[in-house]
Amino acid sequence: MDAVAGPSGVKITPKQFYKRKKTLTSEEIAESLTCSDTENMGEYDDNEIDDIGDPEIPDIGSSSEEEEDEDTVVLVLDDAEIIEAPHPPAKRKRKRRIIWKQITPSIPVFDSEEQSEDEVLLTPLQYFKKFLSDDFLKDIVEQCNLYALQQNPNKPLSLTCSEFEQWLGCSFFMSVSKIPNTRLHWSSYTMSDAVSSVMSRNRWEEIKSHLHLVNNNTIDKTDKLCKVRMLVDHLKQEFRKVPMIEHLSIDEQIVPFKGVSSMKQYNPKKPSKWGYKIFVLADDKGYVYDFRPYTGKIDPVDKNDVPDLGPSANAVLHLAEVIPYHKNHKLYFDNWFNSLPLVEYLATKGIWCCGTVQSRRLPGLSFQSDKQLASKGRGSYDEWVTTNEEGVTTNAIKWYDNKGVCLTSTFATSQPLQTCVRYDRKRKEQVEVPVPSIVKMYNEHMGGVDLQDQLLAYYRMSFRSRKYYLRLVFHLFDMAVVNSWLVYRRSATSLGIPDKKQHALCDFKLKLAYSLTNSGKDLRKKRGRPSTDVVKVNFEKKKKCGRATKPIPEDDVRKDGIGHFPAVSANRETCKLPGCKSKVRMHCLKCSVHLCCDQKKNCFLEFHQ
């Protein structure tokens, strides 16, 4: 390809010439072109020159010799004349390359910002400490010691955090063993080493009788939960830190109690009919995210944008405050809570609801009677839909099985129809009955609170006490254990551990109890008065007699319990424990004194106590 010189003597190609159309005006081009030359080149005006610079022409730096054709005409521009006039380069149309990308269906993620899976599986104690940390247990210990001094200043409790953890571990052991009387754990017939070797019976009962959570001098007597408010608020705050899953449910929970209390309720539909009532928000796996003990009155939510929909609906609104808005969560509850204004309000917050409902709470709607539905056959249903001014669509359906049941939902309908197996008394065989989708979803995801009740009932801390609030305290401790086990199960499943290799609740609670009673604890029995330091006293007596004795370390070094390891020396020396005259080779690496240890005596242990 021939190269030519431009007006300034610089050689340029036709592509460079057309690329520089924006820098060259029409007058400059006309001056450099003669009339004879324009016949070969063609007539160009300003608009045509602008059209030449099409974006499809590649940049100068990206052009290559392979892209240039042999017929390409090169311009030769001179100050006087044009030697050769080029034709405009022919534009080649490139075929558009079609690229297909597979679209993955979008799956809603719930609280992905807060969700973080454990990289390794933790121990039962570590899961438990997520809800009851060392700092919180320290606050409980302070209140117990303060309460003991308020009761009797001459008998301090002198409780430590380590001892309180041992008391908790013993209580968990007792809840699993199911011995009816707590004192039998120290009986010679049913003695449990896991309990009796850790703590004496009188000490365990003394700690239980002084278990307290609040200062009586600064108590708010208008609050019926003042005795347990500290534990309730702390656990609610810690339970909420676990990421929520899609399906949630709200239901009542009964803490078994038949003592004297103004908060005691009666619910004939629960396994434990008498006790404290708690409104619980849990997922379909049984994990509790929030709870609200019932004190006799359900106040509306103290927010301007939250309406007052009545006591039963207000209980749902209180618990729904912890549910993130517009995260596609689905909430289930029964007909005691459900109403049309409630589901419509929660739908405006992005919380979709489903639940049974009383037909009288659906104004302007009359379902077909049970007799009419029965005539159509078992499994028939009557479905209605309504849309409010805000655009929220609510489906209401009445399904007939043994009797009619009404449900409402803001996200589920009767379709697609599914089937369930029922026993037909007339035909005396199992038959398939059509089931609407809304009924199937309600049955699958509503039982989260009942599952939590079932897990709590297996190994409950059912200790008798005259203090009405201790039953709530024991229940909340058990709830923390069950939630710890459910978090462990979630972590183990995410790590690919099969269900058969995961700890059962009983095994998990026993391991937790063992860790509480042994981890970082001194297991030497401490009964009666603390003994005097015989080693130091006898050493001083021997020193006064004028006998040559090797000095022993100070008490804070000798009794610190760190780094005292036995070793064997080359020389035999007398055991340095006063009263022992054995010649031994074993000595302490830290104290640098010879001490004996055999089947008959253990001077090494006695020296360091």
Side-chain angles (χ1 to χ4, degrees), residues 287-476:
Y287 180 86
V288 175
Y289 294 101
D290 195 13
F291 59 93
R292 184 179 178 87
Y294 178 69
T295 58
K297 182 181 179 182
I298 304 176
D299 297 324
V301 180
D302 190 13
K303 288 184 179 180
N304 297 329
D305 59 338
V306 181
D308 183 6
L309 302 178
S312 59
N314 289 337
V316 177
L317 294 178
H318 278 289
L319 296 175
E321 285 187 309
V322 302
I323 303 177
Y325 293 162
H326 304 288
K327 292 289 186 178
N328 203 27
H329 288 287
K330 297 176 177 61
L331 184 61
Y332 302 83
F333 36 76
D334 58 22
N335 58 4
W336 191 85
F337 302 96
N338 199 0
S339 64
L340 185 60
L342 175 63
V343 296
E344 290 179 344
Y345 170 76
L346 292 177
T348 60
K349 302 297 182 181
I351 302 174
W352 311 111
C353 302
C354 177
T356 57
V357 65
Q358 302 175 20
S359 59
R360 60 183 178 86
R361 293 188 178 181
L362 300 175
L365 176 60
S366 58
F367 289 108
Q368 298 181 19
S369 63
D370 290 357
K371 187 175 182 180
Q372 292 175 331
L373 292 176
S375 62
K376 298 180 181 180
R378 193 173 184 178
S380 59
Y381 62 91
D382 184 17
E383 187 175 9
W384 297 77
V385 64
T386 181
T387 304
N388 65 355
E389 298 176 353
E390 298 179 357
V392 177
T393 301
T394 305
N395 290 78
I397 187 172
K398 183 176 182 180
W399 179 62
Y400 183 80
D401 187 13
N402 290 325
K403 62 179 182 179
V405 56
C406 302
L407 299 96
T408 61
S409 176
T410 54
F411 69 93
T413 62
S414 60
Q415 301 300 323
L417 284 177
Q418 304 180 31
T419 58
C420 65
V421 178
R422 295 288 188 269
Y423 180 75
D424 192 347
R425 294 183 179 178
K426 294 182 179 179
R427 300 168 58 180
K428 295 183 179 180
E429 61 180 1
Q430 301 285 344
V431 296
E432 290 187 352
V433 176
V435 181
S437 177
I438 182 176
V439 179
K440 202 75 172 180
M441 295 185 68
Y442 177 81
N443 291 334
E444 287 179 359
H445 305 293
M446 178 57 196
V449 180
D450 294 335
L451 180 58
Q452 172 75 204
D453 285 342
Q454 180 181 356
L455 296 174
L456 288 171
Y458 285 149
Y459 315 106
R460 190 188 299 275
M461 295 172 59
S462 56
F463 305 140
R464 297 177 61 88
S465 177
R466 295 183 179 180
K467 296 181 175 62
Y468 72 94
Y469 57 87
L470 284 187
R471 185 56 60 88
L472 271 175
V473 174
F474 297 151
H475 178 81
L476 295 179

Side-chain angles (χ1 to χ4, degrees), residues 580-598:
C580 183
K581 299 180 180 180
S582 303
K583 298 287 185 178
V584 293
R585 294 182 182 271
M586 188 177 70
H587 70 283
C588 178
L589 287 176
K590 188 173 184 178
C591 300
S592 300
V593 294
H594 282 68
L595 297 166
C596 62
C597 179
D598 52 25

